[in-house]
Amino acid sequence: MISAEALELAKAKLLAAAEAMAEPTPAVLLTRAERRLAAGDAAEAARLAWQAYGLDPSLDQFALLFPDVEGSPEASLGKARALVAAGFHNARLTEIIAFAATRLGRFGDIRALMDQDRFLAVVRAAAPDDPDLPELAQALQTDLAHYRSPAYRAIRHAARREGVDEATDGPPALARMFERLRSAVGGWIAALPADPAHPFLAGKPERFRLEGWSVVSGRKGHHTPHVHTESWANGVFYVQVPDAVENAEKRAGWLRVGPPADYGVGDAEGWPERWIQPRPGLAVIMPSHFHHETRPLGADQTRICFAFQIYPLPAV
């Protein structure tokens, strides 16, 4: 008669064989990574996590790596730091670290991740009356996709021109916009310190590429709190800004960078809130793990900006 132990061993072998034959989907890879991480093999877990990222840069199923972050934040924090030490770094992982640190009351850890003085840059990439801005506004309003309330995106009641990168055909002003942004981003990166133990700074690139989309919003257009899970860092460049943003009390159309309201933390816990008033020619650059949102304009006017993502490239 087969013992219970032998039967369990046989089942485990069959399961392992089935997984080995399975299509390497992100879910399968992240499940395997979780098991390797639980077994103390962070290097293999990091390799599998990068493989999953290659298939799905949004890593929508990243929670499979940390199935018990609510119940065991201490253990999850340790595993997350082990992944960083093994070479995996991503906005999703930084979110896990911030969430676990919040639950554990480790405000110093939160402050190290969310230090806006250190990581958030607001720079003037063009003069408010730069002649390129009207030309850019026209170009960024073509080929728009309109959104009301998509479940899979933060945009609400606004439109986007998708897939705009440095190779996109358009007026000369579009190419010059990327030149300005590349200069601003390059200076921001150069000023960041090197720190391989920091979940964000560990990914500091020597080279990068830029791509993004325009956002055209009116009375009700806004964004709900979100992070950018695919990229290392991101930003926004304001092209056309209406008069509605001038009301500092209402902060209509402003950008808020800070923790989601349901996290229950704020400046006292090391996670500050900052409101940024849009101005023509202004660029904001931040890590992709920084939560941010925008308020509706509340007026029949149009705000046009270019949201961009910063992707590391391999060193030459």
Side-chain angles (χ1 to χ4, degrees):
M1 184 174 179
I2 301 176
S3 68
E5 291 80 3
L7 186 59
E8 287 301 317
L9 180 60
K11 286 181 178 178
K13 288 182 177 179
L14 283 172
L15 180 60
E19 283 190 354
M21 296 174 64
E23 187 72 21
T25 63
V28 169
L29 292 167
L30 291 169
T31 299
R32 292 175 183 171
E34 191 277 329
R35 291 177 181 169
R36 298 317 309 155
L37 195 57
D41 189 354
E44 177 62 9
R47 187 190 72 79
L48 291 166
W50 278 125
Q51 192 176 348
Y53 174 81
L55 293 174
D56 176 20
S58 68
L59 287 178
D60 285 334
Q61 296 167 305
F62 192 71
L64 291 171
L65 249 175
F66 298 91
D68 198 26
V69 65
E70 278 274 12
S72 301
E74 182 79 46
S76 295
L77 186 58
K79 291 176 183 178
R81 295 203 179 282
L83 269 182
V84 174
F88 182 78
H89 34 78
N90 174 270
R92 292 277 192 202
L93 182 61
T94 309
E95 268 197 301
I96 292 290
I97 294 173
F99 181 84
T102 298
R103 291 298 180 265
L104 294 167
R106 296 189 178 176
F107 304 139
D109 289 354
I110 299 171
R111 190 170 293 106
L113 295 174
M114 306 299 173
D115 189 340
Q116 294 184 3
D117 290 337
R118 194 181 190 194
F119 299 138
L120 178 66
V122 180
V123 299
R124 176 149 296 288
D129 58 352
D130 192 291
D132 275 353
L133 296 183
E135 188 176 353
L136 272 175
Q138 185 66 34
L140 294 176
Q141 290 186 86
T142 62
D143 302 321
L144 293 176
H146 294 265
Y147 298 94
R148 288 192 63 189
S149 184
Y152 57 96
R153 282 179 172 161
I155 190 171
R156 298 291 184 270
H157 304 286
R160 294 173 32 154
R161 177 182 176 180
E162 309 282 1
V164 181
D165 61 25
E166 292 172 277
T168 299
D169 290 334
L174 188 63
R176 287 194 291 270
M177 178 189 75
F178 277 105
E179 290 175 4
R180 299 171 195 265
L181 293 178
R182 178 162 285 279
S183 175
V185 170
W188 175 71
I189 291 175
L192 293 173
D195 184 353
H198 191 284
F200 169 65
L201 294 174
K204 178 182 174 180
E206 294 181 13
R207 301 169 58 241
F208 62 90
R209 66 180 175 88
L210 298 173
E211 66 176 61
W213 54 89
S214 68
V215 180
V216 180
S217 53
R219 173 178 287 277
K220 296 195 295 183
H222 68 285
H223 286 75
T224 60
H226 64 287
V227 298
H228 289 226
T229 57
E230 298 184 8
S231 57
W232 173 72
N234 67 92
V236 60
F237 175 63
Y238 294 105
V239 177
Q240 179 177 306
V241 179
D243 296 340
V245 306
E246 295 300 328
N247 190 321
E249 183 177 348
K250 291 185 177 180
R251 293 171 174 165
W254 287 32
L255 171 68
R256 176 189 178 271
V257 182
D262 59 355
Y263 273 37
V265 295
D267 191 60
E269 293 78 26
W271 198 332
E273 170 188 83
R274 181 173 177 183
W275 288 90
I276 300 170
Q277 182 179 12
R279 293 292 188 190
L282 205 67
V284 182
I285 311 169
M286 71 185 84
S288 282
H289 67 269
F290 272 26
H291 285 81
H292 54 285
E293 62 187 285
T294 61
R295 278 190 172 174
L297 281 172
D300 292 325
Q301 300 176 356
T302 302
R303 192 194 71 165
I304 302 172
C305 63
F306 179 68
F308 58 92
Q309 305 210 85
I310 302 163
Y311 294 93
L313 290 174
V316 177

